């Protein structure tokens, strides 16, 4: 068995040959120093594999005619993996963005990348040089994002994308992320308060008009931060009473998204 590459500065030998059953073998090529070749194949490089007629089967029959083939495993510079995946939706608002290529890149590729709408973060090169990433990005809710790489994007060897690359994904819609007491909870303590959290920052000027407790109860509405609010009854809640927490669609996020659909949750005191 002979393995080769059409490039004077690259030598390869069969290396380790592993049988898988009686008629299938796995070939793990090595370089001239005996190191196994790992990672991506160099872009545009043609390889060849040949098996000559000294090859015998278990019955002593020779391989006639000899076998030979050529292949180009990586014909062009391309994106091989993204995070998140293309078309992902309902993503949390804090994300790790990453794009992996089939060849090494450097900071020159950053001039070819765009993200819309813009985010307040920056791209970095991965430790192994085969990708770019943007750590802990804070995204807007109910928003479709698109990342584009134009054909000026290339690897360190000068290979460029043959066509623009696009990746799109969408974030969570504006919604209630958590509530206490939980929906359907019974035996809720009379002195309990109500706490509501949201998937994205809220326009706090819309909270008081949108929040309803049925039957009505006198109390104080407290907004400790832009993602939550709490309601503290002035008096203990009557026993064995069912309450409906209702938040209507006049509630808006700080980005202007309305709460659609409206939210409701029930609990019963003990």
């Amino acid at each position: 068995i002979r393995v080769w590459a059409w490039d004077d500065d690259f030598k390869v030998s069969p290396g380790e040959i592993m049988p898988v059953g009686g008629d299938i073998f796995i070939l793990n090529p090595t370089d001239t120093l005996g190191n196994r070749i790992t990672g991506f194949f160099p872009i545009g490089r043609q390889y060849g594999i040949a098996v000559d007629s000294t090859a015998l089967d278990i019955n002593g029959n020779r391989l006639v005619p000899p076998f030979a083939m050529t292949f180009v495993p990586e014909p062009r510079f391309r994106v091989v993996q993204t995070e998140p995946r293309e078309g992902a939706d309902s993503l949390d608002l804090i994300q790790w963005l990453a794009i992996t290529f089939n060849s090494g890149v450097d900071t020159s590729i950053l001039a070819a990348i765009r993200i819309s709408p813009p985010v307040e973060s920056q791209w970095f090169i991965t430790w192994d040089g085969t990708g770019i990433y943007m750590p802990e990005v804070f995204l807007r809710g109910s928003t479709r994002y698109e990342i584009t790489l134009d054909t000026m994007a290339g690897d360190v060897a000068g290979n460029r994308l043959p066509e623009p690359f696009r990746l799109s994904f969408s974030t969570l819609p504006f919604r209630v992320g958590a509530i206490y007491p939980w929906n359907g909870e019974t035996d809720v303590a009379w002195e309990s308060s109500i706490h509501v959290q949201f998937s994205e920052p809220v326009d706090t000027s819309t909270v008081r008009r949108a929040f309803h407790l049925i039957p009505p109860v006198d109390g104080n509405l407290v907004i400790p931060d832009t993602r939550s609010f709490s309601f503290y009854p002035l008096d203990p809640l009557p026993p064995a009473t069912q309450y409906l927490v209702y938040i209507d669609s006049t509630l808006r996020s700080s980005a202007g998204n309305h709460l659609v659909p409206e939210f409701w949750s029930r609990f019963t005191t003990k």
Side-chain angles (χ1 to χ4, degrees):
I1 298 178
R2 188 165 63 95
V3 183
W4 69 91
W6 268 264
D7 195 326
D8 291 339
D9 65 356
F10 185 81
K11 307 298 181 183
V12 65
S13 59
E16 183 180 7
I17 301 176
M18 301 173 57
V20 182
D23 57 351
I24 301 175
F25 293 83
I26 295 177
L27 182 67
N28 293 311
T30 60
D31 60 21
T32 52
L33 298 177
N35 300 311
R36 180 179 294 183
I37 299 171
T38 60
F40 296 109
F41 287 94
I43 293 172
R45 181 171 287 159
Q46 187 180 52
Y47 293 83
I49 298 177
V51 185
D52 64 34
S53 292
T54 62
L56 305 175
D57 68 10
I58 60 175
N59 297 313
N61 300 303
R62 293 189 179 278
L63 181 67
V64 178
F67 171 82
M69 66 169 288
T70 60
F71 62 101
V72 181
E74 289 290 353
R76 64 187 185 279
F77 180 54
R78 63 188 178 92
V79 173
V80 296
Q81 186 175 346
T82 65
E83 181 63 39
R85 59 177 174 78
E86 165 61 25
D89 60 8
S90 298
L91 295 177
D92 290 335
L93 303 190
I94 301 178
Q95 287 292 317
W96 171 289
L97 307 181
I99 301 176
T100 303
F101 304 93
N102 64 341
S103 185
V105 297
D106 58 25
T107 54
S108 64
I109 199 172
L110 302 183
I113 190 167
R114 302 287 185 274
I115 181 168
S116 178
V119 298
E120 294 183 0
S121 188
Q122 61 179 319
W123 293 98
F124 297 90
I125 305 297
T126 58
W127 67 270
D128 63 355
T130 62
I132 57 176
Y133 69 97
M134 189 181 284
E136 202 172 73
V137 186
F138 293 87
L139 304 175
R140 299 192 308 203
S142 305
T143 303
R144 179 181 181 273
Y145 285 86
E146 183 172 82
I147 298 175
T148 58
L149 279 163
D150 62 37
T151 54
M152 293 302 293
D155 65 3
V156 293
N159 302 294
R160 299 192 184 281
L161 287 177
E163 58 188 16
F165 170 81
R166 290 179 174 83
L167 167 67
S168 62
F169 56 89
S170 301
T171 53
L172 278 170
F174 179 43
R175 67 180 187 183
V176 172
I179 186 168
Y180 178 82
W182 309 299
N183 183 35
E185 187 174 0
T186 58
D187 294 331
V188 174
W190 304 345
E191 66 275 13
S192 290
S193 53
I194 298 167
H195 307 276
V196 185
Q197 291 184 330
F198 297 92
S199 61
E200 61 181 283
V202 175
D203 179 349
T204 56
S205 69
T206 66
V207 171
R208 297 183 186 280
R209 182 175 60 179
F211 172 74
H212 310 275
L213 183 61
I214 305 171
V217 173
D218 290 333
N220 295 317
L221 191 67
V222 178
I223 306 174
D225 55 64
T226 60
R227 286 181 178 265
S228 66
F229 69 80
S230 299
F231 178 76
Y232 297 92
L234 293 179
D235 299 308
L237 298 175
T241 302
Q242 185 181 82
Y243 286 90
L244 172 67
V245 177
Y246 172 56
I247 305 174
D248 67 39
S249 60
T250 62
L251 185 73
R252 293 194 308 267
S253 71
S254 58
N257 301 307
H258 284 268
L259 185 67
V260 178
E262 299 171 329
F263 175 82
W264 59 266
S265 177
R266 290 184 172 90
F267 66 90
T268 304
T269 54
K270 62 182 177 181

